[in-house]
């Protein structure tokens, strides 16, 4: 991986025959030149440091010295430009000779120099790995064969609220339940884990990637794991899919829940900007948008980002509750009205006292109940059905509608006083077809969410699937997209989602990449102007929501070619 830059070879040497006299040998050594001599199949090395030893031997030439001692026999090591020392004779006591792949002697090195080079290389590897561990945004844990922690990065410290000083050098099982630790399982089983849901602690949810670390002999000497924190995503999903809105977990004040609304486009950006402002107020909010665009999710996030976050968030859908029961559902009923009970029952407005009531499909609320709702908004009091006593409340109202309420005023299908009371702040949520650029982020969010729910690795999407998702008009909006991704996770047994996993309506509308490829190859390779080529690339990136692999396939060129074109035209 690294070039051999730390071990410095001594290349000042000569090869002399065995008939060389000791005087000539000594002369070379005193000049700082090493001498190499061959005898049978052995190579002998005399270094300048050996000059003082020569007088000890009563000999006339090299052959007589070597016949009396094997002290100068040299140990061999292979010289590899891409590594340090691949193999080393463990019995070596003398300086090492290094030869290249062709068997030619490259030079020699003292053992002390080899040791220093190994130490320097170790420090370099440690620096590279430490920088890598602190660069990634996931928690990184590395353990040795005994399960002792040897790496614990700053993200892991933050995720588990555990300083590295308290865990480094200690067995990881001292801080976690051994039965739940993936990194220990790979030590025992030796298997690789990719994008798998994991719950190392009851309050922590992560996507984990883990691999065993093996030595040159294939033996497991440790394990490494990276963990992406998805706790916030799991918690929000649990909240939004819970039928009973009582007892919702309270948000931490440091969290910005609006980041859970995926999207970078200007349309959704304006929605988030306005929603953040109204969250801190007490005024009613009117959310306008097609079915499935996420009105209830936005209402829920506004509530949890408001000072009322610790109070109930309840919902009423005027299109689901029968008209005859809507009054009791909203305003409650006094004892004896329906059941003969002395106490009666509180409606949703009363149950959500000091919290938030989300009323969906407000256009289907009967006119007489619109009058009662207007009275509550202006007077902050209600009277239960069948009762006479006013009840003071300060429940916040968030209203949602799929229709243009202003047009209903003309036909007197909606009360004008209620409309103007509700329309202090209105936020129009764009349909998914108008925010194609946000689809990739939302897809990734739902892939992780449902992979965690069904305990499967997070798959990737083929370019054809990305095109299908971005070319579809999504009449069911976010809810339909969510359903499609859940379907794909359930049906997929591999690590990639293909067209076969999509509903037939998306498959039928998917344009043929093969036909487009042929056309685009001709266009891109033709002599067109730079402006035309830029337009083609921009259109392809727009159709594929910025996915370069899918755009390259759509254009009929390699991904490398597309990257070069993007760089050439500065289209990033």
């Amino acid at each position: 991986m690294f070039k051999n830059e730390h071990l410095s070879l001594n290349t000042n040497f000569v090869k002399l025959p065995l008939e060389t006299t000791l005087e000539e040998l000594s002369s070379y050594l005193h000049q700082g030149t090493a001498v190499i001599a061959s005898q049978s199949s052995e190579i002998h090395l005399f270094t300048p440091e050996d000059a003082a030893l020569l007088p000890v031997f009563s000999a006339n030439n090299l052959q007589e010295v070597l016949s009396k001692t094997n002290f100068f026999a040299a140990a061999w090591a292979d010289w590899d430009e891409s590594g340090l020392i691949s193999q080393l004779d463990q019995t070596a006591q003398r300086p090492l000779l290094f030869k290249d792949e062709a068997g030619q002697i490259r030079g020699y090195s003292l053992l002390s120099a080899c040791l220093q080079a190994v130490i320097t290389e170790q420090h370099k590897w440690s620096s590279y790995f430490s920088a890598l561990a602190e660069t990634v945004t996931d928690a990184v844990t590395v353990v040795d064969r005994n399960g002792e922690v040897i790496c614990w990065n700053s993200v892991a410290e933050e995720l588990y609220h555990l300083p590295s000083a308290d865990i480094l050098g200690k067995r990881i099982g001292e801080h976690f339940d051994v039965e739940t630790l993936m990194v220990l399982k790979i030590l025992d089983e030796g298997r690789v884990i990719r994008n798998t849901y994991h719950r190392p602690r009851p309050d922590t949810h992560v996507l984990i990637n883990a691999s065993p670390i093996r030595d040159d002999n294939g033996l497991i000497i440790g394990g490494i794991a990276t963990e992406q924190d998805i706790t916030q995503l799991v918690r929000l999903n649990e909240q939004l899919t819970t039928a009973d809105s009582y007892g919702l977990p309270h948000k931490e004040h440091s969290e910005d829940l609006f980041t859970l609304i995926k999207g970078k486009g200007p349309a959704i950006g304006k929605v988030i900007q306005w929603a953040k402002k109204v969250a801190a107020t007490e005024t009613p909010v009117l959310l306008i948008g097609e079915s499935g665009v996420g009105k209830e999710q936005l209402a829920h996030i506004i509530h949890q980002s408001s000072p009322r976050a610790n109070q109930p968030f309840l919902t009423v859908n005027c299109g689901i509750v029968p008209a005859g029961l809507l009054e009791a559902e909203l305003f409650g009923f006094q004892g004896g009205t329906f059941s003969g009970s002395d106490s009666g029952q509180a409606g949703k407005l009363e149950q959500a006292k000091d919290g938030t009531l989300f009323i969906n499909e407000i256009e289907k609320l009967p006119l007489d109940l619109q009058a009662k709702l207007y009275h509550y908004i202006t007077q902050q009091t209600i009277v239960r059905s069948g009762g006479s006593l006013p009840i003071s409340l300060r429940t916040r109202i968030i209203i949602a509608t799929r229709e243009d309420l202003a047009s209903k005023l003309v036909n007197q299908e909606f009360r004008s006083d209620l409309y103007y009371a509700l329309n202090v702040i209105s936020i129009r949520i764009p349909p998914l077809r108008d925010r194609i650029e946000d689809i990739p982020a939302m897809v990734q969010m739902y892939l992780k969410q449902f992979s965690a729910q069904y305990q499967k690795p997070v798959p990737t999407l083929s370019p054809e699937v990305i095109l299908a998702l971005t070319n579809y008009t999504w009449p069911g909006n976010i809810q339909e997209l969510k359903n499609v991704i859940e379907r794909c996770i359930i049906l997929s047994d591999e690590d990639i989602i293909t067209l076969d996993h999509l509903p037939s309506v998306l498959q039928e509308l998917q344009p043929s990449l093969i036909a487009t490829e042929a056309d685009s190859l001709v266009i891109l390779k033709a002599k067109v102007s730079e402006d035309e080529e830029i337009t083609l690339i921009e259109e392809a990136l727009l159709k594929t929501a910025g996915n370069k692999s899918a755009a390259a396939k759509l254009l009929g060129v390699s991904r490398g070619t597309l990257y070069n074109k993007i760089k050439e035209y500065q289209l990033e």
Side-chain angles (χ1 to χ4, degrees):
M1 182 174 290
F2 297 120
K3 289 186 176 180
N4 202 329
E5 57 189 48
H6 297 303
L7 180 58
S8 178
L9 288 183
N10 290 302
T11 58
N12 186 18
F13 64 89
V14 295
K15 295 180 180 180
L16 298 178
L18 296 177
E19 294 78 15
T20 303
T21 66
L22 288 192
E23 290 184 3
E24 188 178 356
L25 170 62
S26 179
S27 174
Y28 274 107
L29 298 182
H30 280 102
Q31 293 173 20
T33 302
V35 173
I36 294 175
S38 300
Q39 186 183 43
S40 299
S41 60
E42 289 188 330
I43 303 295
H44 299 269
L45 173 66
F46 297 85
T47 68
E49 291 78 12
D50 295 331
L53 300 177
L54 295 182
V56 175
F57 301 98
S58 298
N60 295 317
N61 54 37
L62 277 174
Q63 187 170 12
E64 292 182 9
V65 171
L66 298 180
S67 66
K68 295 180 179 182
T69 180
N70 201 40
F71 177 76
F72 298 101
W76 286 94
D78 292 328
W79 178 262
D80 186 352
E81 297 291 349
S82 63
L84 183 60
I85 302 174
S86 57
Q87 288 185 336
L88 178 63
D89 185 350
Q90 296 184 5
T91 64
Q93 301 293 326
R94 298 270 298 150
L96 290 173
L97 276 177
F98 286 88
K99 61 181 179 179
D100 57 23
E101 294 180 354
Q104 299 297 316
I105 297 175
R106 294 287 300 272
Y108 72 93
S109 180
L110 300 177
L111 289 179
S112 59
C114 292
L115 177 60
Q116 183 58 52
V118 170
I119 294 173
T120 302
E121 190 76 0
Q122 181 184 25
H123 288 166
K124 182 173 72 173
W125 275 95
S126 178
S127 298
Y128 272 93
F129 182 80
S130 297
L132 176 62
E134 291 303 326
T135 300
V136 298
T137 57
D138 294 348
V140 178
T141 307
V142 184
V143 299
D144 62 16
R145 185 66 186 91
N146 299 318
E148 293 184 0
V149 179
I150 57 177
C151 176
W152 185 259
N153 72 346
S154 56
V155 181
E157 289 183 313
E158 183 179 352
L159 176 61
Y160 294 109
H161 306 290
L162 184 61
S164 58
D166 295 343
I167 192 171
L168 288 177
K170 298 179 182 178
R171 292 181 65 85
I172 194 168
E174 296 178 21
H175 295 277
F176 297 87
D177 183 359
V178 175
E179 295 298 322
T180 67
L181 288 175
M182 287 286 191
V183 75
L184 291 185
K185 289 182 180 180
I186 65 172
L187 289 180
D188 297 329
E189 304 172 10
R191 61 190 178 99
V192 174
I193 297 170
R194 291 290 179 264
N195 289 325
T196 300
Y197 171 73
H198 182 42
R199 195 173 185 177
R201 285 181 170 176
D203 59 345
T204 306
H205 305 264
V206 300
L207 285 178
I208 186 171
N209 290 279
S211 300
I213 302 172
R214 300 179 185 272
D215 62 14
D216 291 340
N217 298 318
L219 299 177
I220 296 176
I221 59 174
I224 182 170
T226 62
E227 298 167 299
Q228 179 185 357
D229 185 16
I230 59 169
T231 303
Q232 188 180 22
L233 178 64
V234 172
R235 286 178 179 172
L236 183 68
N237 178 61
E238 290 174 350
Q239 294 175 26
L240 295 180
T241 56
T242 299
D244 185 1
S245 298
Y246 290 102
L248 286 173
H250 302 314
K251 72 173 183 68
E252 297 179 9
H253 292 292
S254 60
E255 295 177 354
D256 181 6
L257 295 176
F258 286 99
T259 60
L260 295 171
I261 301 177
K262 296 297 180 182
K264 299 180 181 180
I268 197 64
K270 184 176 181 180
V271 169
I272 294 173
Q273 179 185 5
W274 285 19
K276 283 183 177 181
K277 291 182 178 181
V278 301
T281 70
E282 299 289 318
T283 187
V285 182
L286 176 60
L287 305 180
I288 306 170
E290 298 176 5
S291 178
V293 296
K295 297 187 290 294
E296 184 171 350
Q297 181 195 31
L298 180 59
H300 203 159
I301 292 176
I302 290 174
H303 165 76
Q304 289 208 308
S305 302
S306 74
R308 300 171 178 263
N310 294 332
Q311 303 302 325
F313 174 85
L314 303 182
T315 67
V316 172
N317 191 319
C318 299
I320 296 177
V321 181
L325 298 179
L326 262 177
E327 182 174 10
E329 183 76 4
L330 281 171
F331 303 100
F333 61 87
Q334 195 58 41
T337 305
F338 296 109
S339 63
S341 169
D342 293 335
S343 60
Q345 180 175 314
K348 290 291 182 68
L349 275 168
E350 201 173 336
Q351 293 173 27
K353 184 178 181 181
D354 298 326
T356 301
L357 178 63
F358 174 67
I359 305 178
N360 201 357
E361 296 190 68
I362 187 67
E363 68 275 6
K364 296 183 179 179
L365 187 67
L367 292 174
D368 57 330
L369 296 185
Q370 291 181 26
K372 290 193 68 169
L373 184 59
Y374 171 74
H375 176 84
Y376 164 70
I377 292 173
T378 56
Q379 304 298 321
Q380 295 289 280
T381 62
I382 65 165
V383 176
R384 290 182 179 181
S385 178
S388 58
L389 295 177
I391 302 173
S392 297
L393 301 174
R394 44 184 308 275
T395 301
R396 184 183 191 174
I397 299 292
I398 299 181
I399 305 295
T401 180
R402 293 181 294 175
E403 302 183 14
D404 181 11
L405 295 182
S407 64
K408 288 184 169 294
L409 300 182
V410 178
N411 299 325
Q412 296 184 347
E413 295 174 349
F414 200 87
R415 292 182 63 98
S416 59
D417 51 4
L418 178 60
Y419 172 75
Y420 293 116
L422 295 176
N423 199 28
V424 179
I425 299 291
S426 60
I427 301 176
R428 188 174 296 275
I429 305 175
L432 194 53
R433 61 181 175 276
D434 291 344
R435 40 183 298 216
I436 295 176
E437 68 277 7
D438 296 334
I439 289 178
M442 298 173 69
V443 167
Q444 288 303 315
M445 177 180 69
Y446 291 132
L447 283 174
K448 293 176 182 179
Q449 174 181 320
F450 290 118
S451 294
Q453 179 177 332
Y454 295 105
Q455 298 189 23
K456 289 186 174 184
V458 179
T460 56
L461 304 179
S462 69
E464 291 86 355
V465 169
I466 295 173
L467 281 173
L469 296 179
T470 53
N471 287 334
Y472 187 51
T473 57
W474 298 108
N477 290 291
I478 295 175
Q479 186 60 52
E480 186 181 9
L481 173 63
K482 184 177 179 181
N483 294 345
V484 167
I485 300 302
E486 182 176 12
R487 166 200 170 98
C488 291
I489 293 296
I490 293 173
L491 297 181
S492 175
D493 294 321
E494 306 295 335
D495 57 359
I496 186 169
I497 291 175
T498 64
L499 277 178
D500 293 337
H501 298 121
L502 296 179
S504 58
V505 64
L506 270 78
Q507 295 184 38
E508 294 167 359
L509 295 176
Q510 167 61 10
S512 171
L513 283 179
I514 298 176
T516 306
E517 182 175 310
D519 296 340
S520 299
L521 274 168
V522 174
I523 295 174
L524 283 185
K525 291 184 178 180
K527 293 181 178 180
V528 297
S529 67
E530 286 189 4
D531 291 341
E532 290 173 324
E533 196 167 45
I534 290 172
T535 300
L536 286 172
I537 294 172
E538 288 178 337
E539 288 177 352
L541 290 171
L542 181 62
K543 289 180 180 178
T544 59
N547 184 282
K548 295 182 179 66
S549 295
K553 195 162 187 178
L554 187 64
L555 289 169
V557 298
S558 70
R559 186 169 61 176
T561 299
L562 180 60
Y563 273 103
N564 291 335
K565 290 290 184 181
I566 291 174
K567 185 177 180 180
E568 178 184 348
Y569 296 133
Q570 299 180 347
L571 297 178
E572 288 285 2

